[in-house]
Amino acid sequence: MDRLIIRGGVPLRGQVEAGGAKNAALPAMAAALLTGESIQLHHVPQLGDVKTIIGLLNHLGVSVERGDRQALLFRADDIDQHEAPYHLVKTMRASVLVLGPLVARFGRARVSLPGGCAIGPRPINLHLAALEKMGATVSLDAGYVEAKASRLRGARITFDGQTVTGTENVMMAAALADGVTVLENAACEPEVADLAALLSRMGARIEGAGTPTISIEGVSHLHGAEHEVIPDRVEAGTFMVAAAITGGDVTINRCLPSHLEAITEKLREAGVLVEEADCRIRVLGDGQLRGVNVRTHPYPGFATDMQAQFMALLSIAQGSSVITETVFENRFMHVNELLRMGADIKVIGTTAFVHGVPILSGAPVMATDLRASASLVLAGLAAQGTTTVSRVYHLDRGYESIERKLQSLGADIERVAE
Ligand code: EPU
Protein backbone atom coordinates (compact mmCIF):
# COMPACT_ATOMS: atom_id res chain seq x y z
CA MET A 1 0.00 0.00 0.00
CA ASP A 2 1.41 3.37 -1.00
CA ARG A 3 1.74 6.39 1.26
CA LEU A 4 2.08 10.06 0.44
CA ILE A 5 4.68 12.04 2.32
CA ILE A 6 4.03 15.76 2.35
CA ARG A 7 6.31 18.43 3.77
CA GLY A 8 3.90 21.32 4.16
CA GLY A 9 4.13 25.08 4.05
CA VAL A 10 4.92 25.66 0.36
CA PRO A 11 2.54 28.08 -1.42
CA LEU A 12 1.48 26.33 -4.64
CA ARG A 13 2.10 28.24 -7.87
CA GLY A 14 1.59 27.50 -11.54
CA GLN A 15 -0.86 25.85 -13.88
CA VAL A 16 -2.54 22.47 -13.75
CA GLU A 17 -5.13 20.71 -15.89
CA ALA A 18 -8.29 19.03 -14.64
CA GLY A 19 -8.82 15.52 -16.02
CA GLY A 20 -12.04 14.01 -17.30
CA ALA A 21 -14.76 13.70 -14.64
CA LYS A 22 -14.82 10.37 -12.82
CA ASN A 23 -18.54 10.64 -12.16
CA ALA A 24 -19.29 11.39 -15.82
CA ALA A 25 -16.93 8.71 -17.19
CA LEU A 26 -18.46 5.89 -15.11
CA PRO A 27 -22.06 6.24 -16.40
CA ALA A 28 -20.78 6.92 -19.94
CA MET A 29 -18.90 3.62 -19.83
CA ALA A 30 -22.00 1.79 -18.54
CA ALA A 31 -23.96 3.33 -21.44
CA ALA A 32 -21.80 1.31 -23.85
CA LEU A 33 -23.97 -1.67 -22.80
CA LEU A 34 -26.96 -0.09 -24.56
CA THR A 35 -25.70 -0.83 -28.08
CA GLY A 36 -23.78 -3.48 -30.01
CA GLU A 37 -21.97 -0.74 -31.93
CA SER A 38 -18.74 1.00 -30.87
CA ILE A 39 -18.68 3.75 -28.29
CA GLN A 40 -15.55 5.87 -28.17
CA LEU A 41 -14.95 8.04 -25.13
CA HIS A 42 -12.28 10.71 -24.91
CA HIS A 43 -10.73 12.20 -21.78
CA VAL A 44 -11.40 9.16 -19.63
CA PRO A 45 -9.24 9.62 -16.54
CA GLN A 46 -6.94 6.78 -15.47
CA LEU A 47 -8.38 6.04 -12.06
CA GLY A 48 -9.00 3.10 -9.78
CA ASP A 49 -12.78 3.39 -10.26
CA VAL A 50 -12.38 3.44 -14.05
CA LYS A 51 -10.32 0.23 -13.84
CA THR A 52 -13.04 -1.32 -11.69
CA ILE A 53 -15.81 -0.57 -14.18
CA ILE A 54 -13.62 -1.82 -17.06
CA GLY A 55 -13.27 -5.06 -15.07
CA LEU A 56 -17.03 -5.25 -14.69
CA LEU A 57 -17.70 -4.51 -18.37
CA ASN A 58 -15.12 -7.15 -19.38
CA HIS A 59 -16.84 -9.61 -17.05
CA LEU A 60 -20.15 -8.93 -18.83
CA GLY A 61 -18.51 -9.51 -22.24
CA VAL A 62 -17.80 -5.93 -23.37
CA SER A 63 -14.50 -5.47 -25.23
CA VAL A 64 -12.54 -2.42 -24.11
CA GLU A 65 -9.57 -1.07 -26.06
CA ARG A 66 -7.29 1.85 -25.31
CA GLY A 67 -7.05 4.45 -28.05
CA ASP A 68 -4.81 7.50 -28.34
CA ARG A 69 -4.07 9.36 -25.13
CA GLN A 70 -7.09 9.10 -22.86
CA ALA A 71 -9.52 7.48 -25.30
CA LEU A 72 -11.29 4.18 -24.68
CA LEU A 73 -13.24 2.16 -27.22
CA PHE A 74 -16.09 -0.08 -26.08
CA ARG A 75 -18.03 -2.73 -27.96
CA ALA A 76 -20.87 -4.65 -26.33
CA ASP A 77 -21.77 -6.97 -29.24
CA ASP A 78 -21.18 -10.22 -27.42
CA ILE A 79 -22.75 -10.00 -23.97
CA ASP A 80 -22.97 -13.36 -22.25
CA GLN A 81 -23.37 -12.34 -18.60
CA HIS A 82 -25.97 -10.21 -16.87
CA GLU A 83 -24.57 -10.19 -13.37
CA ALA A 84 -22.53 -7.57 -11.48
CA PRO A 85 -20.83 -9.65 -8.80
CA TYR A 86 -20.47 -8.74 -5.12
CA HIS A 87 -16.70 -8.16 -5.16
CA LEU A 88 -17.01 -5.46 -7.85
CA VAL A 89 -20.07 -3.69 -6.43
CA LYS A 90 -18.52 -3.79 -2.96
CA THR A 91 -15.38 -2.05 -4.27
CA MET A 92 -17.37 0.57 -6.13
CA ARG A 93 -21.03 1.40 -5.66
CA ALA A 94 -21.25 2.98 -9.12
CA SER A 95 -21.17 -0.61 -10.50
CA VAL A 96 -24.94 -0.43 -10.02
CA LEU A 97 -24.99 1.75 -13.18
CA VAL A 98 -25.06 -1.42 -15.32
CA LEU A 99 -28.53 -2.31 -13.97
CA GLY A 100 -30.62 0.03 -16.16
CA PRO A 101 -28.76 -0.67 -19.43
CA LEU A 102 -28.78 -4.48 -18.92
CA VAL A 103 -32.53 -4.67 -18.21
CA ALA A 104 -33.36 -2.29 -21.03
CA ARG A 105 -31.33 -4.11 -23.70
CA PHE A 106 -31.31 -7.74 -22.54
CA GLY A 107 -34.44 -7.92 -20.38
CA ARG A 108 -32.59 -9.01 -17.25
CA ALA A 109 -29.90 -8.04 -14.79
CA ARG A 110 -28.60 -9.39 -11.51
CA VAL A 111 -26.64 -6.88 -9.45
CA SER A 112 -25.21 -7.33 -5.99
CA LEU A 113 -26.84 -4.95 -3.49
CA PRO A 114 -24.28 -2.30 -2.49
CA GLY A 115 -24.95 -2.25 1.27
CA GLY A 116 -23.38 0.45 3.44
CA CYS A 117 -20.05 2.15 2.81
CA ALA A 118 -17.60 4.48 4.48
CA ILE A 119 -19.82 7.54 3.95
CA GLY A 120 -23.07 5.99 5.15
CA PRO A 121 -25.83 3.71 3.89
CA ARG A 122 -26.17 3.88 0.13
CA PRO A 123 -29.47 2.25 -0.78
CA ILE A 124 -30.69 1.88 -4.37
CA ASN A 125 -34.40 1.74 -3.54
CA LEU A 126 -35.10 4.76 -5.77
CA HIS A 127 -33.43 3.08 -8.77
CA LEU A 128 -35.50 -0.06 -8.17
CA ALA A 129 -38.85 1.70 -7.60
CA ALA A 130 -38.40 3.56 -10.90
CA LEU A 131 -37.59 0.38 -12.84
CA GLU A 132 -40.64 -1.32 -11.31
CA LYS A 133 -42.77 1.59 -12.48
CA MET A 134 -41.40 0.93 -15.96
CA GLY A 135 -42.69 -2.64 -15.79
CA ALA A 136 -39.65 -4.52 -14.44
CA THR A 137 -40.13 -7.30 -11.93
CA VAL A 138 -37.64 -6.77 -9.14
CA SER A 139 -36.74 -9.43 -6.59
CA LEU A 140 -34.05 -9.96 -3.98
CA ASP A 141 -32.07 -13.15 -3.72
CA ALA A 142 -28.93 -13.93 -1.71
CA GLY A 143 -27.81 -10.31 -1.55
CA TYR A 144 -28.50 -9.72 -5.22
CA VAL A 145 -31.24 -7.70 -6.83
CA GLU A 146 -32.72 -9.26 -9.95
CA ALA A 147 -34.66 -7.18 -12.42
CA LYS A 148 -36.50 -8.66 -15.39
CA ALA A 149 -38.71 -7.21 -18.11
CA SER A 150 -39.44 -8.48 -21.59
CA ARG A 151 -39.61 -4.80 -22.57
CA LEU A 152 -39.59 -1.74 -20.32
CA ARG A 153 -42.32 0.80 -20.89
CA GLY A 154 -42.27 4.56 -20.41
CA ALA A 155 -43.69 5.89 -17.13
CA ARG A 156 -44.04 9.07 -15.10
CA ILE A 157 -41.59 8.82 -12.20
CA THR A 158 -41.25 11.28 -9.36
CA PHE A 159 -38.09 10.51 -7.42
CA ASP A 160 -38.68 10.52 -3.68
CA GLY A 161 -35.28 12.19 -3.11
CA GLN A 162 -32.66 13.30 -5.62
CA THR A 163 -30.23 10.61 -6.72
CA VAL A 164 -27.45 11.09 -9.24
CA THR A 165 -26.75 7.49 -10.29
CA GLY A 166 -30.46 6.69 -9.89
CA THR A 167 -31.36 9.37 -12.42
CA GLU A 168 -28.61 8.10 -14.73
CA ASN A 169 -29.67 4.45 -14.42
CA VAL A 170 -33.30 5.21 -15.19
CA MET A 171 -32.45 7.62 -18.00
CA MET A 172 -30.39 4.87 -19.69
CA ALA A 173 -33.19 2.33 -19.19
CA ALA A 174 -35.81 4.76 -20.55
CA ALA A 175 -33.76 5.43 -23.68
CA LEU A 176 -34.63 1.91 -24.91
CA ALA A 177 -38.14 1.62 -23.37
CA ASP A 178 -41.46 1.67 -25.22
CA GLY A 179 -42.99 5.15 -25.02
CA VAL A 180 -42.17 8.29 -23.06
CA THR A 181 -40.66 8.41 -19.57
CA VAL A 182 -40.83 11.62 -17.56
CA LEU A 183 -38.52 11.93 -14.55
CA GLU A 184 -39.50 14.49 -11.92
CA ASN A 185 -37.18 15.61 -9.11
CA ALA A 186 -34.32 14.27 -11.21
CA ALA A 187 -30.72 15.07 -10.24
CA CYS A 188 -29.43 18.20 -12.02
CA GLU A 189 -25.69 17.43 -11.78
CA PRO A 190 -23.59 18.27 -14.89
CA GLU A 191 -22.64 14.57 -15.03
CA VAL A 192 -26.32 13.71 -15.69
CA ALA A 193 -26.41 16.25 -18.53
CA ASP A 194 -23.14 14.83 -19.93
CA LEU A 195 -24.60 11.33 -19.97
CA ALA A 196 -27.68 12.67 -21.77
CA ALA A 197 -25.39 14.29 -24.35
CA LEU A 198 -23.72 10.93 -25.02
CA LEU A 199 -27.08 9.10 -25.17
CA SER A 200 -28.39 11.71 -27.63
CA ARG A 201 -25.35 11.09 -29.84
CA MET A 202 -26.30 7.40 -29.69
CA GLY A 203 -29.77 8.26 -31.02
CA ALA A 204 -31.71 8.69 -27.77
CA ARG A 205 -34.42 11.36 -27.54
CA ILE A 206 -33.91 13.24 -24.28
CA GLU A 207 -35.00 16.70 -23.18
CA GLY A 208 -34.41 18.57 -19.95
CA ALA A 209 -31.30 16.77 -18.63
CA GLY A 210 -29.61 19.10 -16.14
CA THR A 211 -33.03 20.25 -14.87
CA PRO A 212 -35.37 18.50 -12.38
CA THR A 213 -37.69 17.32 -15.20
CA ILE A 214 -36.26 15.02 -17.84
CA SER A 215 -38.32 13.60 -20.66
CA ILE A 216 -37.09 10.56 -22.59
CA GLU A 217 -38.84 9.13 -25.63
CA GLY A 218 -37.70 5.53 -25.98
CA VAL A 219 -36.29 4.25 -29.28
CA SER A 220 -35.99 0.66 -30.51
CA HIS A 221 -32.22 0.69 -30.74
CA LEU A 222 -29.22 2.94 -30.10
CA HIS A 223 -26.13 3.22 -32.27
CA GLY A 224 -22.41 3.88 -31.86
CA ALA A 225 -21.06 7.32 -30.94
CA GLU A 226 -18.00 9.33 -29.95
CA HIS A 227 -18.03 11.57 -26.90
CA GLU A 228 -15.67 13.66 -24.79
CA VAL A 229 -16.15 13.43 -21.04
CA ILE A 230 -16.57 16.78 -19.23
CA PRO A 231 -13.79 18.04 -16.93
CA ASP A 232 -13.82 16.88 -13.32
CA ARG A 233 -15.31 19.66 -11.20
CA VAL A 234 -14.33 17.97 -7.93
CA GLU A 235 -10.70 17.58 -8.98
CA ALA A 236 -10.67 21.21 -10.14
CA GLY A 237 -12.33 22.28 -6.87
CA THR A 238 -9.72 20.35 -4.89
CA PHE A 239 -6.91 22.24 -6.69
CA MET A 240 -8.75 25.52 -6.00
CA VAL A 241 -8.72 24.73 -2.29
CA ALA A 242 -5.04 23.65 -2.55
CA ALA A 243 -4.19 27.12 -3.88
CA ALA A 244 -6.22 28.86 -1.18
CA ILE A 245 -5.04 26.77 1.76
CA THR A 246 -1.35 27.31 0.89
CA GLY A 247 -1.77 31.02 0.07
CA GLY A 248 -0.63 30.28 -3.49
CA ASP A 249 -1.53 31.30 -7.03
CA VAL A 250 -2.81 28.46 -9.21
CA THR A 251 -4.56 28.43 -12.59
CA ILE A 252 -6.65 25.36 -13.32
CA ASN A 253 -6.91 24.82 -17.07
CA ARG A 254 -9.50 22.75 -18.89
CA CYS A 255 -12.21 23.17 -16.29
CA LEU A 256 -15.72 24.62 -16.54
CA PRO A 257 -16.09 27.57 -14.14
CA SER A 258 -19.91 27.39 -14.49
CA HIS A 259 -19.79 23.96 -12.77
CA LEU A 260 -17.75 25.40 -9.90
CA GLU A 261 -19.87 28.39 -8.93
CA ALA A 262 -20.79 27.20 -5.43
CA ILE A 263 -17.10 26.59 -4.66
CA THR A 264 -16.01 29.89 -6.18
CA GLU A 265 -18.62 31.75 -4.15
CA LYS A 266 -17.55 30.16 -0.86
CA LEU A 267 -13.86 30.75 -1.56
CA ARG A 268 -14.57 34.43 -2.26
CA GLU A 269 -16.61 34.65 0.95
CA ALA A 270 -13.58 33.19 2.75
CA GLY A 271 -11.42 36.01 1.39
CA VAL A 272 -9.80 34.23 -1.58
CA LEU A 273 -9.44 35.89 -4.97
CA VAL A 274 -10.94 33.80 -7.79
CA GLU A 275 -10.74 34.87 -11.44
CA GLU A 276 -12.88 33.00 -13.96
CA ALA A 277 -12.24 32.74 -17.70
CA ASP A 278 -13.81 30.55 -20.40
CA CYS A 279 -12.25 27.20 -19.57
CA ARG A 280 -9.96 28.06 -16.70
CA ILE A 281 -10.00 29.47 -13.24
CA ARG A 282 -7.26 31.23 -11.26
CA VAL A 283 -7.17 31.14 -7.48
CA LEU A 284 -4.98 33.49 -5.44
CA GLY A 285 -4.76 33.14 -1.70
CA ASP A 286 -2.95 35.57 0.56
CA GLY A 287 -3.11 33.38 3.65
CA GLN A 288 -5.82 35.56 5.24
CA LEU A 289 -8.75 33.14 5.32
CA ARG A 290 -12.08 33.94 7.00
CA GLY A 291 -14.49 31.37 8.44
CA VAL A 292 -17.68 30.73 6.41
CA ASN A 293 -20.71 28.49 6.81
CA VAL A 294 -21.18 25.66 4.33
CA ARG A 295 -24.22 23.48 3.74
CA THR A 296 -23.98 20.66 1.22
CA HIS A 297 -26.76 20.28 -1.35
CA PRO A 298 -27.36 18.54 -4.65
CA TYR A 299 -26.16 20.57 -7.66
CA PRO A 300 -26.14 23.53 -8.12
CA GLY A 301 -25.61 23.72 -4.36
CA PHE A 302 -22.31 23.13 -2.60
CA ALA A 303 -21.23 19.56 -3.50
CA THR A 304 -20.90 16.98 -0.72
CA ASP A 305 -17.83 15.80 -2.67
CA MET A 306 -16.08 19.10 -1.73
CA GLN A 307 -17.13 19.23 1.93
CA ALA A 308 -14.09 17.45 3.37
CA GLN A 309 -11.63 19.57 1.37
CA PHE A 310 -13.35 22.76 2.55
CA MET A 311 -13.18 21.61 6.14
CA ALA A 312 -9.39 21.39 5.85
CA LEU A 313 -9.37 24.97 4.55
CA LEU A 314 -11.70 26.29 7.25
CA SER A 315 -9.71 24.60 9.98
CA ILE A 316 -7.05 27.33 9.49
CA ALA A 317 -9.45 30.21 8.70
CA GLN A 318 -9.91 33.05 11.16
CA GLY A 319 -13.07 32.71 13.27
CA SER A 320 -15.74 30.05 13.28
CA SER A 321 -17.38 28.04 10.53
CA VAL A 322 -20.37 25.73 10.58
CA ILE A 323 -20.41 22.88 8.06
CA THR A 324 -23.65 20.96 7.60
CA GLU A 325 -23.69 17.75 5.58
CA THR A 326 -27.17 17.10 4.20
CA VAL A 327 -26.50 14.52 1.46
CA PHE A 328 -24.78 11.62 3.28
CA GLU A 329 -25.23 10.55 6.89
CA ASN A 330 -21.64 9.84 7.77
CA ARG A 331 -19.25 11.96 5.81
CA PHE A 332 -17.07 13.38 8.58
CA MET A 333 -14.43 10.68 8.87
CA HIS A 334 -11.72 13.23 8.11
CA VAL A 335 -12.58 15.12 11.33
CA ASN A 336 -10.70 12.84 13.72
CA GLU A 337 -7.64 12.91 11.49
CA LEU A 338 -7.75 16.72 11.19
CA LEU A 339 -7.97 16.87 15.00
CA ARG A 340 -4.73 14.89 15.15
CA MET A 341 -3.16 17.64 13.06
CA GLY A 342 -4.24 20.27 15.58
CA ALA A 343 -7.61 21.36 14.14
CA ASP A 344 -10.40 22.42 16.52
CA ILE A 345 -13.62 20.80 15.28
CA LYS A 346 -16.70 19.50 17.11
CA VAL A 347 -19.30 17.37 15.42
CA ILE A 348 -22.93 17.22 16.53
CA GLY A 349 -24.98 14.95 14.30
CA THR A 350 -24.48 16.07 10.73
CA THR A 351 -23.04 19.46 11.67
CA ALA A 352 -19.38 20.27 12.26
CA PHE A 353 -18.38 23.37 14.22
CA VAL A 354 -14.92 24.49 13.16
CA HIS A 355 -12.86 27.03 15.11
CA GLY A 356 -9.96 28.14 13.00
CA VAL A 357 -6.46 27.58 14.43
CA PRO A 358 -3.40 29.55 13.25
CA ILE A 359 -1.51 26.47 12.09
CA LEU A 360 -1.89 22.73 11.59
CA SER A 361 0.98 20.40 12.35
CA GLY A 362 2.02 17.44 10.23
CA ALA A 363 1.09 13.95 11.44
CA PRO A 364 0.57 10.40 10.17
CA VAL A 365 -3.07 10.22 9.00
CA MET A 366 -5.37 8.06 6.90
CA ALA A 367 -8.97 7.86 5.78
CA THR A 368 -11.15 5.23 4.16
CA ASP A 369 -13.01 7.56 1.82
CA LEU A 370 -11.77 9.27 -1.32
CA ARG A 371 -12.70 12.87 -0.52
CA ALA A 372 -11.73 12.53 3.15
CA SER A 373 -8.28 11.43 1.96
CA ALA A 374 -8.11 14.47 -0.33
CA SER A 375 -8.83 16.76 2.62
CA LEU A 376 -5.90 15.22 4.52
CA VAL A 377 -3.57 15.88 1.58
CA LEU A 378 -4.73 19.52 1.56
CA ALA A 379 -4.24 19.82 5.31
CA GLY A 380 -0.75 18.32 4.89
CA LEU A 381 0.13 20.88 2.21
CA ALA A 382 -0.70 23.70 4.63
CA ALA A 383 0.69 22.12 7.80
CA GLN A 384 3.99 22.76 9.49
CA GLY A 385 6.18 19.67 9.30
CA THR A 386 5.63 16.29 7.66
CA THR A 387 2.30 14.57 7.03
CA THR A 388 2.10 10.96 5.93
CA VAL A 389 -1.19 9.99 4.28
CA SER A 390 -1.71 6.20 4.22
CA ARG A 391 -4.16 4.14 2.17
CA VAL A 392 -3.48 6.18 -0.94
CA TYR A 393 -5.52 3.71 -3.00
CA HIS A 394 -8.60 5.63 -1.90
CA LEU A 395 -7.18 8.77 -3.53
CA ASP A 396 -6.20 6.79 -6.62
CA ARG A 397 -9.88 5.84 -7.07
CA GLY A 398 -10.73 9.43 -7.95
CA TYR A 399 -7.59 11.54 -8.53
CA GLU A 400 -5.22 10.83 -11.40
CA SER A 401 -1.53 11.28 -10.46
CA ILE A 402 -2.41 13.63 -7.64
CA GLU A 403 1.15 13.81 -6.35
CA ARG A 404 2.59 14.54 -9.81
CA LYS A 405 0.08 17.34 -10.42
CA LEU A 406 0.81 18.84 -6.99
CA GLN A 407 4.58 18.51 -7.53
CA SER A 408 4.20 20.48 -10.77
CA LEU A 409 2.78 23.29 -8.63
CA GLY A 410 5.80 23.19 -6.33
CA ALA A 411 4.43 20.99 -3.55
CA ASP A 412 6.92 18.91 -1.59
CA ILE A 413 5.07 15.60 -1.89
CA GLU A 414 6.23 12.10 -2.76
CA ARG A 415 4.69 8.67 -3.06
CA VAL A 416 6.37 5.88 -1.18
CA ALA A 417 5.52 2.26 -1.91
CA GLU A 418 5.43 0.00 1.11
N1 EPU B 1 -30.39 7.56 -1.84
C1 EPU B 1 -31.43 6.81 -1.39
N2 EPU B 1 -31.95 5.84 -2.23
C2 EPU B 1 -31.46 5.63 -3.48
C3 EPU B 1 -30.37 6.41 -3.93
C4 EPU B 1 -29.84 7.39 -3.08
O1 EPU B 1 -31.90 6.98 -0.27
O2 EPU B 1 -31.98 4.76 -4.18
C5 EPU B 1 -29.80 8.60 -0.97
C6 EPU B 1 -28.33 8.32 -0.60
O3 EPU B 1 -28.24 7.45 0.50
C7 EPU B 1 -27.80 9.70 -0.33
C8 EPU B 1 -28.58 10.57 -1.31
O4 EPU B 1 -29.73 9.82 -1.69
O5 EPU B 1 -28.13 10.09 0.98
C9 EPU B 1 -27.81 10.97 -2.57
O6 EPU B 1 -27.25 9.82 -3.16
P1 EPU B 1 -26.99 9.67 -4.72
O7 EPU B 1 -27.74 8.49 -5.21
O8 EPU B 1 -27.19 10.97 -5.41
O9 EPU B 1 -25.43 9.30 -4.73
P2 EPU B 1 -24.74 8.38 -5.77
O10 EPU B 1 -25.43 8.52 -7.08
O11 EPU B 1 -24.56 7.02 -5.20
C10 EPU B 1 -23.08 10.14 -6.74
C11 EPU B 1 -21.60 10.27 -6.86
C12 EPU B 1 -21.00 10.51 -5.48
C13 EPU B 1 -21.60 11.80 -4.91
C14 EPU B 1 -23.14 11.67 -4.87
C15 EPU B 1 -23.82 12.95 -4.43
C16 EPU B 1 -21.14 8.91 -8.77
C17 EPU B 1 -20.53 7.68 -9.34
N3 EPU B 1 -21.07 9.06 -7.44
O12 EPU B 1 -23.30 9.03 -5.88
O13 EPU B 1 -19.59 10.69 -5.66
O14 EPU B 1 -21.13 12.03 -3.61
O15 EPU B 1 -23.63 11.33 -6.19
O16 EPU B 1 -23.50 14.00 -5.25
O17 EPU B 1 -21.65 9.73 -9.51
C18 EPU B 1 -17.33 10.68 -5.02
O18 EPU B 1 -17.04 10.96 -6.20
O19 EPU B 1 -16.47 10.71 -4.08
C19 EPU B 1 -18.69 10.30 -4.69
C20 EPU B 1 -19.02 9.66 -3.56
Side-chain angles (χ1 to χ4, degrees), residues 298-380:
Y299 190 83
F302 190 98
T304 173
D305 290 342
M306 283 298 302
Q307 177 260 110
Q309 299 89 316
F310 240 74
M311 194 180 296
L313 179 85
L314 296 175
S315 68
I316 56 162
Q318 253 179 29
S320 299
S321 305
V322 180
I323 301 180
T324 310
E325 173 57 59
T326 74
V327 179
F328 288 107
E329 271 175 40
N330 179 25
R331 221 179 183 181
F332 283 146
M333 66 168 49
H334 41 286
V335 170
N336 282 330
E337 301 298 293
L338 291 173
L339 292 181
R340 298 182 55 249
M341 297 178 73
D344 179 357
I345 304 167
K346 280 190 185 57
V347 173
I348 301 178
T350 51
T351 303
F353 298 88
V354 184
H355 294 276
V357 294
I359 196 124
L360 295 173
S361 54
V365 287
M366 65 176 189
T368 49
D369 161 50
L370 163 60
R371 309 302 174 189
S373 300
S375 90
L376 301 179
V377 171
L378 295 172

Side-chain angles (χ1 to χ4, degrees), residues 22-23 121-126 163-165 305 327-328 371:
K22 166 177 86 74
N23 291 346
R122 298 193 55 188
I124 55 164
N125 56 311
L126 302 174
T163 162
V164 178
T165 48
D305 290 342
V327 179
F328 288 107
R371 309 302 174 189

